[in-house]
Structure formats: C-alpha cells, structure tokens
Amino acid sequence: MMWVSYLATVTGGRYEMAIVLPDSDKDAKVVFRASLYLAFANALFLTLLIAFYQSTGLSFSLLNDVGHWIWFIPFYLIINQLALSLDYYLTRLKAFGKLSAGLLTGSMVGNSAKVGLGALAPAAGFLVIGNLLTLIVQIFTQAYLGRSALEKTKDMARGITLRQAYSRYRDLPIYRAPKDLMTAVSFGLPVAALGIFFSPGVVGLFVLSDRIMRAPVVVVGAAIRKVLYQRSAELKNKSIPVFHFNAKAVSILLCIGFLGSLVMFLIGAELFVWIFGEDWNVAGSMAVWLSLWLFSSVANIPATVLVPVFNLESVFFKVELAWFVLRALSIFALCNNLSDPVQVIAGYSIIGLIGNLYLIAVVLFRV
C-alpha cells in the first residue's frame, strides 16, 4: 500500500498548497476547485488503467495483494485530495483548532476500525477502508467545526478563472509534486541500504528508532508549518518583510533542536534501554544520531514555508534533488565501508543536518 500513499501525494498536483497564497478569498476558492478537478482527472485516468489491467489478465505483485479492493483506490485519492484541500483552506482561515480536532477524531475512528476489521479478518483491503474512514470522518468533523469560518466566504463572487489558477501556480505540479514524491521515496533509503548490507534485525532496530523519533517531530512540525505558512503568506500579501520573522523562528527552533539533541546525547541510549530493554541499546544509539537530522528538519520549516510564498519551487527542487542523490550515494557508501550500523546512521544523520542548514541558508537569502 506504500505506492498508494505516493500517488496520494501528487494526485492534485500540490495545487492545494496555493490555497493559502492569494490575497483574495475569491481566488483561493478557485484554487480549491482547481486542485479537486485535477484530482478527479487523475483518479479517472487511474480507473481506466485499472480496467485495462483487469482486462489483460496481467499480474503484478503490488496489485495482487489488494485484489478487488483496488477499485476503491481512485475514490480514496479523491477523498484524500478533498481532505488536503480543506486542510489548507482552513489553514488560510486560521482555524487551527478545528484542523487539529478533525485530525484527532478521524485518526481515532479510522485506527479503531482498522484494528477491529483486522481482528475479524486480516486483509489489505481493510487498510483502504480504514484510511477512507479516517479521511471521511476528518473532513466532516473539520467542515462542521469550521462552518462559521467557511460561511464567511461562501457568498463571494467568482475570482480568477481556473485556467489562470493552473497557470499562476504551475510550478507546484512541475517542481513541488515531484519533489514531495522524491522526499517520500527517500525515507526508505536507509531501510533499503541496511537491508542489503546488514541483517533484518538491524533494519528492525533502525525502524523502531526512526519511528519513535519521527512521530513527535511530524506532529509538532505539521502544527508549526501550518501557522508559519499562513502567517508568511499573509505578511507577503500585505507587503510586510518576512525575513526577520522567519529568521527569528528558525533561530528559536534551532536552539530548541540543539537542546533536544543534547538531551538525547546525554541520556537517549540509556532511556531506550530502560524502556525497551538491553537488546534495544543499538536502537537507542541510532536514535541519538537521528535527533540531529530530525530536529534540524523542524528548524528548517520557517524557511521552507517561504518557498511557495516567493515562488522558489524550481530552486527548492534543484537543491532537494542534489541532496537526494547525495543521501542515496552516502547511505550505500557508508554501509559498504562501515561495519557498525550506528556509525552508518551517524554519518547519514550528519549529512541530513548539513542539508537542512544549507536549505535554510539558500531560502532565507533569496527572500
């Protein structure tokens, strides 16, 4: 099902990100529709591909595990795009509390459904149903809680045309969509490299440390990103300089990240051993080094939110492409030349830290 999440990343061409950018709510509504129309078109194309696949009798392992549930995937992509677009529209309206409530409610209901259905009869299709239920509950919850904010713009006249919306923000499908797809794929690089050069046990230790460290970073980072993105776009539309605001935010997050990494270096490995047992000491050591990369990825958020605001997508894509290649080469080179997996992750994390700092510098000095 990993490939479905990759498709969901780019179904709407990332046009939903542009919903926050226009000064006019009228234009934002048009961009909202543009993202959904593109998602419908892509879902229809995928449906035709599935029909062709079914008619030819071809066999692909990625699809065989899903079975007849494969027909739900185009519908899932549309619902996922609606959830993304609504998320960005409510971000534009500063309805951050409603966003969080919807995400929490949807996650609780969807995960409960997956657990219950999985206990009755484990099947890949139930993951699709569970994820669909998560998104549907999330959408209805956010729409209901945010209805007062949404009603303020429902009677506004038509803004820019759809063609103008697609043209004005065309850098998003050209550069941002492949960049985000590349980023999603890059998360699997360490797992692939460790699996080739080390044992499955080492891979398991890394996955545990990565998930434990990444979970709070993803949650906190998503909240920070929404607030800073909305605020940066608002300042830009008011012709107020954003450099000092975002540079200050970067500085604060770097300090917090430094303190977090310092704590991890002091007690991180021991904390893993205390919670999980002595067998997980290596995972704790990996987590210590991962903290450098992951905490710095939060610190770069105030810089990266400026990319769509100042239309720096092409620059962002080139930098990310270069670092993707460097990360891929480095992780395989490290695995090939080092016998200690902790040293491999240490080197990989330091490269990630350098990449995040370089990205911050590139973006901030272009705004």
Side-chain angles (χ1 to χ4, degrees):
M1 296 301 291
M2 184 66 71
W3 63 274
V4 178
S5 66
Y6 293 161
L7 281 178
T9 302
V10 298
T11 302
R14 302 303 279 148
Y15 273 107
E16 68 275 2
M17 295 186 65
I19 294 172
V20 183
L21 300 178
D23 186 35
S24 166
D25 285 332
K26 296 180 293 184
D27 295 345
K29 291 172 63 179
V30 177
V31 178
F32 185 100
R33 293 201 302 272
S35 67
L36 292 181
Y37 292 161
L38 184 58
F40 271 109
N42 286 327
L44 177 60
F45 178 69
L46 179 61
T47 302
L48 295 175
L49 285 180
I50 293 172
F52 174 76
Y53 161 76
Q54 297 279 10
S55 66
T56 58
L58 296 174
S59 178
F60 296 103
S61 59
L62 285 176
L63 303 179
N64 292 338
D65 293 340
V66 183
H68 293 297
W69 295 100
I70 193 173
W71 292 102
F72 280 84
I73 292 176
F75 179 63
Y76 169 79
L77 295 178
I78 293 172
I79 297 300
N80 181 76
Q81 186 59 47
L82 177 58
L84 285 172
S85 298
L86 180 60
D87 186 288
Y88 276 96
Y89 200 86
L90 290 174
T91 295
R92 174 185 178 84
L93 300 178
K94 305 179 186 179
F96 302 115
K98 281 76 175 179
L99 282 171
S100 299
L103 288 170
L104 179 61
T105 305
S107 178
M108 290 176 61
V109 173
N111 287 331
S112 298
K114 281 187 278 189
V115 171
L117 292 172
L120 291 174
F126 289 148
L127 291 176
V128 178
I129 296 298
N131 290 335
L132 265 175
L133 187 58
T134 297
L135 293 173
I136 292 171
V137 173
Q138 173 188 320
I139 290 168
F140 276 100
T141 303
Q142 290 176 343
Y144 177 75
L145 295 178
R147 64 190 184 282
S148 59
L150 293 171
E151 286 173 355
K152 293 179 181 179
T153 62
K154 70 176 183 178
D155 296 326
M156 304 191 91
R158 185 178 176 85
I160 58 174
T161 65
L162 281 170
R163 177 175 293 184
Q164 289 172 324
Y166 285 126
S167 176
R168 180 179 298 180
Y169 303 110
R170 62 184 178 275
D171 279 357
L172 291 171
I174 295 173
Y175 297 111
R176 174 60 73 134
K179 177 267 163 190
D180 286 348
L181 184 60
M182 184 172 57
T183 299
V185 172
S186 71
F187 289 144
L189 287 175
V191 174
L194 291 173
I196 293 172
F197 291 93
F198 296 94
S199 67
V202 170
V203 176
L205 292 172
F206 170 77
V207 170
L208 174 72
S209 60
D210 181 67
R211 288 186 177 179
I212 289 177
M213 293 299 298
R214 193 178 296 277
V217 168
V218 169
V219 173
V220 173
I224 294 174
R225 189 183 309 278
K226 290 173 183 177
V227 175
L228 290 177
Y229 187 33
Q230 185 280 328
R231 182 58 175 162
S232 298
E234 185 179 51
L235 291 174
K236 173 68 164 48
N237 289 330
K238 293 180 179 179
S239 299
I240 299 175
V242 301
F243 175 83
H244 294 292
F245 172 76
N246 290 71
K248 182 179 179 181
V250 167
S251 300
I252 293 172
L253 291 174
L254 279 175
C255 290
I256 295 174
F258 171 77
L259 292 175
S261 295
L262 181 61
V263 171
M264 285 299 299
F265 271 88
L266 290 175
I267 63 171
E270 291 78 6
L271 191 60
F272 262 68
V273 171
W274 181 67
I275 296 175
F276 300 106
E278 187 64 35
D279 292 340
W280 298 94
N281 181 56
V282 173
S285 299
M286 289 180 176
V288 168
W289 288 103
L290 282 172
S291 67
L292 292 176
W293 173 30
L294 295 176
F295 289 157
S296 64
S297 68
V298 176
N300 78 16
I301 290 175
T304 55
V305 295
L306 296 176
V307 170
V309 174
F310 286 89
N311 196 26
L312 300 174
E313 296 294 348
S314 62
V315 175
F316 191 34
F317 174 76
K318 292 172 185 175
V319 172
E320 284 292 307
L321 177 60
W323 280 107
F324 174 80
V325 173
L326 180 60
R327 287 198 303 269
L329 293 175
S330 65
I331 188 65
F332 283 95
L334 288 167
C335 286
N336 187 52
N337 291 283
L338 297 174
S339 59
D340 185 353
V342 174
Q343 293 179 354
V344 171
I345 298 305
Y348 187 71
S349 297
I350 291 172
I351 291 172
L353 168 64
I354 296 171
N356 284 327
L357 295 178
Y358 178 75
L359 182 60
I360 290 170
V362 167
V363 175
L364 286 183
F365 286 105
R366 284 179 177 268
V367 301

